[in-house]
Amino acid sequence: MNRSVEVLGTIRVSQLTGTTDLDEPEPNQKWPLLIDAEHWPLLTDTGRWDAIGVDLGAATEHNGRLYIFFGDVATKRSSIPLNADLVAWTDEPKVLRHGGHLPSGWKFVLPHEPAGERGQTEWRFCGKCGTLFYDGYDNFKGVCHKGDTHKAIGLRFIIPAQETGAQAGQLNWRYCGKCASLFYDGYDNFKGICPKEGTHEAIGWNFLLPFEPTGVLGQYDWRYCGKCAGLFWNGGAHKGLCRGAPGGGFHLNAVLRQDGWFAPFTGTDLIGQTLSLETPNGAFSYAGKVWVFAGFGDAKYTKHKRPGDPAPGCYLTSNERPDQDGLYQTEFLFSPQIGWCPRDTNRDRLESHAPLGYKFLLSHDIPEGPNQQSNYRFCKRCATLFWAGNGEARTRCHRGGSHEAAGHNYVLLHSVTEDGQNQANWHRCAKCASVFWNGDHINGLCPAGDQHQPTPHNLLLTHPSLEEDATNQANWRYCGKCFALFFDGYPEKGVCPKDGVGHSAIGFNFVLPHDIGETAERQVNWRYCGKCFALFF
């Protein structure tokens, strides 16, 4: 059988994000130009929004725009946490095949109306390619680097010239008769790149451009482009488009805060702001909203602890206005699916449970006692804990019908005093037999209808959760080499007697109480060794 083989490949277009060394004064900058590793000029300076570098993320089309949810952004401003996530978009319909203008030389200041400066009027900023062009002819608007003619927006500039008596500024700026833009004609062997074809063609007056420092009033941040020899505005994140620059891609627009820095991706509870190792990993457009899968890992890996200690995993979020600074609504835990729970009082939709708070330990398969009741079971259909003492037929499950027991026979404490390791106010429901928390008299949704109805037994659930505070210190770890308990809270790991180098932490993260009184069950005078980092008596 003959089979045709089609060889597929990828073509590098350019780098979408990046910036210069923002805090280094020229010429000491390690990366002074807005170029990528192949020296191709970038279209967008994302450092203007404090996005120094980005990680991969997710993308989707929505309302005529392509939205990109970048992950783990490197930042320099203390007001934006390191590894927050950038939300950006573009509305350009096709990939551009050229890079942006490359700023070089002096920083020019252009006078504009109304002003007393003498010069030629009707010079305008092109909103498509970012260059300055002459807009004084009714039937000729030049040729734009982005295609077709220039598009005038913004201020009306007045450019001084020798012919108008100007004497201060850089000479040899000329009008190009082919593209209508202003370009520098001071080099014998370089006449720039004209977007119409070939090089620029100088005609007309010889202009003098004021530059910093200057007493001329006008708009700052106009620069010479080292690729096309044109004059372009460098005051924003976008660097226009230059036919003389290799590269391409598309211009990015960021969702910004009022202070001009990017607005990090943030969900409502339970997600909050996504940080290290919490990259948005999927997105789609549906029913007038953008939907984003935004997950987070366990706090022991990400070092980002959320209020209530919610379940790590991938959550689905939504936003009707992704182009504005605002919260993404957390819909539900998408993965891993944890049982089934009604979304609201309509009970028309079941979603994953949303775990919060303590992590409980349940005793199982032990005899009952005076304050211990057995026959509590796990429902394999909805994943709730329920009491099967009256038989499964007398229970109700969120998924319809009765609970279905699986696994261990759990034994719960009841009718004893709550303490720091046992939480009270758990009850079983008289209608569905599920165990629910009644501590704030928020009885939750009962699968038998309305809210849960508590039975008299006040159940206690054991939780071994210990948090670091003024009298409890975390980061005490077991060394897998010498078997000692050592403090792992510093970058250095002490000295292990087995091999003379640092300890090797494995297993649990222990929290040790300190600076409290000695009792029959608590021994004082255990101390940290400043040389080997071990705990000793």
Side-chain angles (χ1 to χ4, degrees):
M1 179 184 295
N2 293 326
R3 296 181 178 178
S4 60
V5 177
E6 181 181 1
V7 178
L8 302 178
T10 58
I11 299 175
R12 183 183 189 274
V13 177
S14 189
Q15 181 176 308
L16 286 180
T17 64
T19 190
T20 60
D21 289 328
L22 299 176
D23 298 330
E24 291 290 336
E26 298 182 26
N28 296 322
Q29 289 177 296
K30 299 175 183 176
W31 203 268
L33 300 177
L34 191 66
I35 55 177
D36 66 12
E38 297 194 43
H39 301 278
W40 296 354
L42 303 187
L43 289 165
T44 308
D45 182 359
T46 58
R48 299 274 182 154
W49 314 318
D50 198 28
I52 310 304
V54 302
D55 205 344
L56 298 178
T60 185
E61 291 188 54
H62 178 73
N63 291 344
R65 293 173 172 175
L66 174 66
Y67 284 87
I68 304 177
F69 299 87
F70 292 101
D72 284 3
V73 177
T75 61
K76 286 194 174 182
R77 304 296 185 278
S78 60
S79 62
I80 299 181
L82 180 67
N83 291 332
D85 297 330
L86 167 71
V87 180
W89 54 269
T90 184
D91 55 5
E92 289 171 329
K94 60 182 181 180
V95 175
L96 304 174
R97 292 297 177 178
H98 295 283
H101 295 291
L102 187 64
S104 300
W106 287 332
K107 297 180 181 180
F108 297 100
V109 181
L110 301 189
H112 55 79
E113 298 180 0
E117 296 292 331
R118 297 176 58 190
Q120 188 178 50
T121 60
E122 298 302 330
W123 285 90
R124 304 293 300 278
F125 168 77
C126 175
K128 294 162 57 181
C129 70
T131 60
L132 188 74
F133 79 100
Y134 183 65
D135 193 36
Y137 298 118
D138 293 335
N139 57 353
F140 181 60
K141 302 302 177 182
V143 177
C144 178
H145 288 274
K146 206 169 183 179
D148 202 6
T149 61
H150 292 294
K151 180 182 179 180
I153 63 173
L155 299 170
R156 296 179 182 273
F157 295 97
I158 303 170
I159 308 301
Q162 280 186 326
E163 290 77 3
T164 62
Q167 297 181 354
Q170 188 182 44
L171 195 62
N172 292 321
W173 284 90
R174 306 293 299 277
Y175 169 82
C176 175
K178 296 192 298 181
C179 69
S181 62
L182 191 69
F183 79 99
Y184 183 64
D185 192 35
Y187 298 118
D188 293 334
N189 56 353
F190 181 59
K191 303 302 177 183
I193 302 294
C194 179
K196 182 175 182 180
E197 60 183 0
T199 61
H200 292 295
E201 181 181 289
I203 62 174
W205 288 354
N206 194 326
F207 297 96
L208 286 83
L209 298 190
F211 52 84
E212 299 180 26
T214 179
V216 175
L217 299 178
Q219 187 180 52
Y220 289 76
D221 291 317
W222 286 88
R223 302 293 298 275
Y224 165 81
C225 174
K227 294 295 183 179
C228 71
L231 186 71
F232 78 100
W233 190 62
N234 191 44
H238 291 173
K239 303 306 167 188
L241 185 72
C242 177
R243 287 288 181 93
F250 43 78
H251 295 93
L252 286 174
N253 303 276
V255 178
L256 301 177
R257 307 186 315 194
Q258 290 186 348
D259 60 9
W261 308 126
F262 78 89
F265 179 89
T266 307
T268 57
D269 293 339
L270 311 164
I271 293 177
Q273 194 170 105
T274 51
L275 295 176
S276 300
L277 307 178
E278 297 174 349
T279 304
N281 46 44
F284 61 94
S285 176
Y286 175 72
K289 297 181 181 180
V290 161
W291 303 75
V292 181
F293 293 102
F296 56 86
D298 194 291
K300 67 182 179 181
Y301 303 116
T302 65
K303 311 303 180 186
H304 183 194
K305 189 176 177 78
R306 288 171 166 78
D309 193 19
C314 181
Y315 289 79
L316 183 63
T317 68
S318 68
N319 194 337
E320 291 183 353
R321 294 302 307 269
D323 59 328
Q324 296 183 0
D325 180 10
L327 298 178
Y328 282 70
Q329 176 65 44
T330 302
E331 299 289 343
F332 59 87
L333 178 62
F334 178 77
S335 175
Q337 175 75 39
I338 303 175
W340 294 95
C341 179
R343 178 179 177 85
D344 51 39
T345 55
N346 293 323
R347 293 179 172 80
D348 60 350
R349 187 163 34 149
L350 295 179
E351 297 175 350
S352 170
H353 293 296
L356 284 174
Y358 295 124
K359 293 180 174 70
F360 297 100
L361 291 176
L362 303 186
S363 300
H364 61 85
D365 300 311
I366 60 175
E368 285 190 332
N371 296 103
Q372 293 178 315
Q373 186 179 41
S374 64
N375 288 319
Y376 287 92
R377 306 297 300 276
F378 166 78
C379 176
K380 65 181 181 181
R381 301 179 66 223
C382 70
T384 59
L385 186 69
F386 74 98
W387 190 62
N390 289 330
E392 292 181 10
R394 299 184 65 179
T395 68
R396 293 289 295 274
C397 178
H398 283 301
R399 299 187 69 181
S402 302
H403 287 300
E404 292 186 20
H408 299 297
N409 184 331
Y410 296 101
V411 179
L412 303 188
L413 287 170
H414 67 86
S415 307
V416 295
T417 304
E418 182 181 55
D419 59 31
Q421 300 281 240
N422 294 277
Q423 186 181 49
N425 291 316
W426 288 89
H427 293 258
R428 73 171 189 263
C429 176
K431 297 186 296 180
C432 70
S434 299
V435 176
F436 73 98
W437 194 59
N438 192 37
D440 288 331
H441 303 289
I442 302 174
N443 293 357
L445 299 175
C446 178
D450 199 20
Q451 293 185 328
H452 291 298
Q453 179 181 326
T455 53
H457 271 329
N458 188 337
L459 304 172
L460 276 79
L461 299 187
T462 300
H463 57 87
S465 306
L466 287 174
E467 300 295 334
E468 186 172 61
D469 56 28
T471 57
N472 290 279
Q473 185 180 47
N475 293 315
W476 285 92
R477 304 293 299 277
Y478 167 79
C479 175
K481 297 186 295 180
C482 71
F483 303 170
L485 193 66
F486 77 99
F487 185 63
D488 193 37
Y490 298 127
E492 300 79 16
K493 303 306 174 186
V495 178
C496 178
K498 182 173 182 178
D499 53 18
V501 296
H503 292 289
S504 176
I506 62 174
F508 295 122
N509 187 331
F510 293 97
V511 180
L512 302 188
H514 60 86
D515 298 314
I516 56 178
E518 186 173 39
T519 67
E521 297 177 346
R522 290 174 177 156
Q523 185 182 50
V524 297
N525 293 319
W526 285 89
R527 302 297 299 275
Y528 160 82
C529 175
K531 295 190 293 182
C532 72
F533 292 15
L535 187 71
F536 75 100
F537 184 65

